[in-house]
Amino acid sequence: AVWKETPEYTGFKYLSARSAAGKTPEQTAFRILTDKDHIYIGIRCREPLVSELKKQPRHDTANFWSMDHIEIFLAPGGKKEKYYQFAVSSQNLQWRMYYEEAGNTRPDPFGGMFESKVFCGKDFWSAEIRIPLTAFYMTPKTEWNTRWLVNVVRDRHTVWETSSWSPLSVGFHEPGSFRTLSGFPVKPQETDLRIRS
């Protein structure tokens, strides 16, 4: 019931460089909830071709990018140079990455764990994602604030269709164009861990 009381974000559009004249993509909508330890994201993808969604074995992530999937981009410091990417496929396969300097620098292997569940309905598929604040360990408390850069994108492979909530041009990694949302939790002091040398 709490999802119904949470604002919904929709109005996804094609990337401008790949726009289909006069068309809008099959719509995607998402909602975000938070508590002191987690971020919860519920995403619903309209899909009239549910029966054609590509299926992969649960352990086989080699072909992740050729499957229908959604991607979530989050920058806890509100700075475009440092952001996280979490992806979930329609078969509930997962992928994640951290970027610095707009993707040119990945200082350490990133292993921020998160949970996801996927449901396929008659004409849609949906995902619920729970990301613990500990997954954002690359961002120190000194760079953290409650106003984040956020984007959700969708790659649809039943037909070729790429769409984004934020207005992007060529690709998904355009953090300078991500939208801003407020109300995220403060980073707990006990999770602010670093190796100094």
Side-chain angles (χ1 to χ4, degrees), residues 146-167:
T146 58
R147 191 171 174 82
W148 293 19
L149 294 179
V150 176
N151 197 26
V152 175
V153 301
R154 179 180 173 191
D155 245 348
R156 193 172 168 234
H157 289 272
T158 50
V159 297
W160 181 251
E161 191 172 273
T162 304
S163 59
S164 169
W165 178 59
S166 296

Side-chain angles (χ1 to χ4, degrees), residues 3-153:
W3 285 118
K4 294 180 181 179
E5 301 169 7
T6 306
E8 181 181 74
Y9 304 99
T10 189
F12 280 56
K13 293 184 170 54
Y14 290 112
L15 275 64
S16 60
R18 306 180 195 174
S19 63
K23 277 189 68 181
T24 41
E26 288 294 343
Q27 272 306 307
T28 306
F30 69 96
R31 303 172 194 257
I32 298 180
L33 291 166
T34 65
D35 61 26
K36 67 181 182 65
D37 299 311
H38 298 88
I39 294 165
Y40 305 85
I41 304 171
I43 302 174
R44 184 181 173 104
C45 305
R46 181 171 147 64
E47 181 49 76
L49 303 174
V50 166
S51 62
E52 298 179 27
L53 290 171
K54 186 174 179 181
K55 291 180 170 52
Q56 287 286 118
R58 181 75 176 106
H59 62 278
D60 182 5
T61 58
N63 296 313
F64 182 93
W65 303 110
S66 66
M67 303 178 69
D68 280 60
H69 64 272
I70 51 92
E71 301 172 43
I72 302 158
F73 295 87
L74 299 167
K79 298 176 181 176
K80 65 181 181 179
E81 296 84 8
K82 300 179 181 182
Y83 63 95
Y84 300 78
Q85 177 186 20
F86 302 92
V88 176
S89 79
S90 57
Q91 298 300 304
N92 201 30
L93 300 178
Q94 297 179 349
W95 193 88
R96 72 255 188 207
M97 183 58 72
Y98 171 75
Y99 300 88
E100 277 196 18
E101 297 179 6
N104 295 324
T105 303
R106 294 173 187 167
D108 296 295
F110 176 62
M113 303 302 290
F114 67 102
E115 298 173 85
S116 60
K117 293 287 184 183
V118 166
F119 174 79
C120 288
K122 182 181 177 182
D123 60 357
F124 73 96
W125 68 274
S126 62
E128 285 186 90
I129 297 141
R130 178 166 62 184
I131 308 172
L133 295 190
T134 53
F136 302 98
Y137 61 82
M138 296 296 234
T139 307
K141 189 175 176 67
T142 54
E143 295 181 9
W144 189 290
N145 65 55
T146 58
R147 191 171 174 82
W148 293 19
L149 294 179
V150 176
N151 197 26
V152 175
V153 301

